[in-house]
Amino acid sequence: MELVFREKPTANQWWDWRWQWEHAAHTLEEAAAYLGVSPEKWGHCRRGESAYPLFVTPYYLSLAESPSLDDPILRQCIPSDAEVDCQEGGEADALSEEACSPVPRLVHRYPDRALLVTGNLCALHCRHCMRKRDWGRAMAPLSQGELTQVVEYLRAHPQVREVLVSGGDPLMLPEANLRMIIQALSSVASVEILRFGSRVPCALPQRITPRLAAILASGKPAWLACHFNHPRELTREVQAACDILNRAGVCLVNQSVLLKGVNDDPETLGRLFTSLLRFHVKPYYLFHGDPIQGAMHFRTGLEKGLQIMDQLRGRISGLALPAFAFDLPKGAGKIRLQPEQCLGKDENGAPLFRSWQGNVLPYPQGCGRD
C-alpha cells in the first residue's frame, strides 16, 4: 500500500538500505503514521509491544494491502497482545539451544552440523521469531575471542561438515565482521559448507549488494536459507537481490513457517512455493511453529500442515514442494512428516495407495522371475 511520509523518498533513497534502516518504525505510533491510521486503533497491541519491541522498515510495511492487523504482512510485524495472553505451553528456549552449546555462540546438536549465533540484530522483528528471548538482551556481535573458541572446537570435532551462520541476522553484521567470520570458519579444513540463515532478502532486500554477495561467496561454498512466508513478499526488489546472489554463486533455498492467519491455506503456500522457483530459490522447509513464548498464537497444529501438503501434492511441481517438518522439544532434532498415502492392503496382499487425485490403487509387489 502507499505509505504516508513527511517527506517522500526519492527512488535512490528507497533502494538504499541505509535509508530504510534509518527510517524504520520502532513504535506502534511510527508504524501507524506510515500506514495513515490512528495508533488508538491498535490499543490492543500495547502489552505485546512492551513485551516484544517492534522494528520494521518502510519497505516491509509497504507490502501490506490494508492497515488491518489481519493483513498477512502486518500480522508478521505488528505486535499483538496475544503474544502475552495466549501463550500456554510456550517456552523461551523450547529447542534447548543454550543447553546444546559447548562453547559460547555455538550450538552443536547434529553430528555433522553446527549453528553459530552471531548476534541479535535483525532487519525485522518477526512476531513469530523462535529467538524472541534474545530481543531484550545486550548481545554484542561475535567477538574475536569467541570466534577463536568456535574455530578450536570445530577443529577438534572434524565430523562437523556444515556450519549454519545465524543470529539475529548475519547479513546485518558490519561487512568486516562478516568477512572475519567467513574467513575463520573457512580456515577449518573439515568444514565444507557455510549456510547463512537470513530474513534480509525478504525484509530488507536493498541490503543485498554485489559487494555483500562477494563476501558471502569468499569462503567455503555458500548457501543462503531465505525466509519468505507469503507470496506478497516476492517483489522486484527481492528479484534484484536474488539475481545478485545467484550471479555471485550463492545457492538459495527457502525456509517458511506455517503461520495461522498468514499462510495457512494451500492457495497461498502454492503461490509462494511456485513463485520462489522463478526467483531461483528452492523451497526447502515448511516448518510447523515451535512452542515459543510470544509466538504460540501462530501455531496451527501438525494436522493442518499435513492437510495443506496433501492438497499441494500433485498440483504443483515436485521442485516447488518443501519438506514439512517440526522440531522435537529439548533439542531432540527435526522430524519430517508427509501425508499418509498407504491405506492398508487389498485382498491379494498388495499395498493400497491414495493418488493425488484421490483414487485408491494397489501397487504390485512381485519381483518377477529370475
Side-chain angles (χ1 to χ4, degrees):
M1 64 181 293
E2 190 73 26
L3 299 187
V4 178
F5 295 98
R6 292 180 181 175
E7 183 176 340
K8 188 171 182 178
T10 65
N12 286 340
Q13 287 173 322
W14 185 258
W15 281 85
D16 186 342
W17 72 270
R18 296 174 185 82
W19 184 93
Q20 294 284 343
W21 185 261
E22 291 167 4
H23 291 81
H26 295 77
T27 65
L28 284 171
E29 284 77 12
E30 291 173 350
Y34 275 130
L35 296 169
V37 298
S38 169
E40 281 69 36
K41 291 187 176 181
W42 293 352
H44 58 292
C45 302
R46 293 295 178 185
R47 283 180 295 114
E49 180 188 25
S50 296
Y52 302 105
L54 177 152
F55 183 86
V56 57
T57 59
Y59 164 79
Y60 194 77
L61 280 174
S62 75
L63 306 183
E65 289 187 344
S66 83
S68 167
L69 294 187
D70 290 329
D71 183 278
I73 297 298
L74 298 186
R75 189 162 166 80
Q76 294 182 73
C77 65
I78 301 298
S80 164
D81 284 355
E83 296 175 39
V84 177
D85 297 338
C86 306
Q87 300 304 313
E88 184 177 352
E91 300 180 43
D93 184 16
L95 306 187
S96 298
E97 288 186 327
E98 294 170 14
C100 299
S101 182
V103 297
R105 303 297 188 102
L106 192 73
V107 178
H108 189 191
R109 180 176 296 140
Y110 300 101
D112 73 335
R113 304 182 295 290
L115 167 74
L116 179 65
V117 178
T118 59
N120 63 354
L121 186 64
C122 288
L124 172 68
H125 280 185
C126 304
R127 309 318 300 181
H128 57 279
C129 179
M130 64 172 291
R131 296 196 184 109
K132 293 178 89 161
R133 67 185 185 276
D134 288 339
W135 288 7
R137 295 183 182 181
M139 185 184 288
L142 188 72
S143 69
Q144 180 65 65
E146 290 171 326
L147 186 56
T148 298
Q149 288 186 69
V150 167
V151 168
E152 290 174 350
Y153 178 87
L154 294 174
R155 286 184 174 141
H157 294 79
Q159 70 269 30
V160 178
R161 299 174 50 254
E162 179 178 343
V163 178
L164 170 56
V165 184
S166 186
D169 198 309
L171 271 58
M172 292 309 302
L173 291 171
E175 291 181 357
N177 292 59
L178 182 59
R179 190 186 298 275
M180 175 185 72
I181 290 169
I182 291 171
Q183 290 175 346
L185 296 177
S186 297
S187 73
V188 180
S190 51
V191 171
E192 299 174 3
I193 295 172
L194 299 182
R195 180 171 18 137
F196 301 87
S198 179
R199 185 76 150 141
V200 162
C202 172
L204 189 59
Q206 296 90 342
R207 178 67 188 96
I208 305 297
T209 63
R211 187 167 70 179
L212 182 66
I215 292 173
L216 290 174
S218 64
K220 294 292 178 71
W223 290 71
L224 179 60
C226 308
H227 182 175
F228 295 96
N229 291 324
H230 194 275
R232 213 185 297 159
E233 294 170 337
L234 299 176
T235 64
R236 60 175 185 154
E237 290 91 341
V238 170
Q239 179 73 73
C242 291
D243 287 347
I244 289 171
L245 291 164
N246 280 312
R247 285 197 297 270
V250 178
C251 302
L252 303 179
V253 297
N254 187 66
Q255 300 182 152
S256 300
V257 181
L258 183 60
L259 300 170
K260 185 182 294 184
V262 174
N263 59 11
D264 55 336
D265 66 89
E267 191 277 332
T268 298
L269 285 177
R271 283 194 293 124
L272 172 65
F273 298 152
T274 54
S275 298
L276 282 166
L277 292 182
R278 297 200 304 271
F279 284 54
H280 290 211
V281 180
K282 170 70 177 82
Y284 177 39
Y285 273 124
L286 172 64
F287 283 116
H288 182 253
D290 294 318
I292 299 294
Q293 266 181 11
M296 294 294 286
H297 57 297
F298 283 112
R299 303 183 85 210
T300 64
L302 290 172
E303 189 59 38
K304 180 73 170 181
L306 286 169
Q307 289 172 358
I308 291 173
M309 294 300 292
D310 194 38
Q311 290 170 297
L312 291 176
R313 182 177 66 96
R315 291 172 173 83
I316 66 173
S317 165
L319 274 176
L321 277 177
F324 180 54
F326 70 97
D327 275 283
L328 288 168
K330 307 306 178 186
K334 288 183 180 62
I335 298 292
R336 295 189 181 205
L337 296 177
Q338 61 182 21
E340 183 59 65
Q341 288 136 34
C342 184
L343 305 178
K345 296 183 178 181
D346 68 7
E347 63 278 8
N348 298 316
L352 294 169
F353 292 94
R354 178 172 50 81
S355 73
W356 68 271
Q357 302 99 328
N359 300 319
V360 178
L361 302 168
Y363 184 76
Q365 290 285 80
C367 299
R369 296 182 179 178
D370 291 337

